[in-house]
Amino acid sequence: MIDVQLLEGMRAAAYRAALGVVSDEAVAARVAQDVVAHLIRRGIADLADPIAHAAACGAAEATGSGRAA
């Protein structure tokens, strides 16, 4: 079973990181959702710090996907 609080923390960290790159809250929310979904598929248990990893992925995804303003 996946810890809901962990997922929410990951989503929030990815959202804040994406929002640091893009100015559109809706885009940042989509990036955060994509990041969490990807990390679930990849395997959260393999990550030393899932929240920090989600934040790093959120910033990278917002920057690298052409979504950055």
Side-chain angles (χ1 to χ4, degrees), residues 1 6 8 11 14 20 27-28 30 45 56 60 62 65 67:
M1 185 101 172
L6 175 60
E8 181 54 30
R11 188 209 57 77
V27 170
R30 284 193 300 275
S65 68
R67 300 179 194 198

Side-chain angles (χ1 to χ4, degrees), residues 18-40:
L19 202 53
V21 176
V22 298
S23 58
D24 187 330
E25 291 182 1
V27 170
R30 284 193 300 275
V31 166
Q33 194 64 32
D34 290 349
V35 164
V36 172
H38 172 76
L39 294 177
I40 289 171

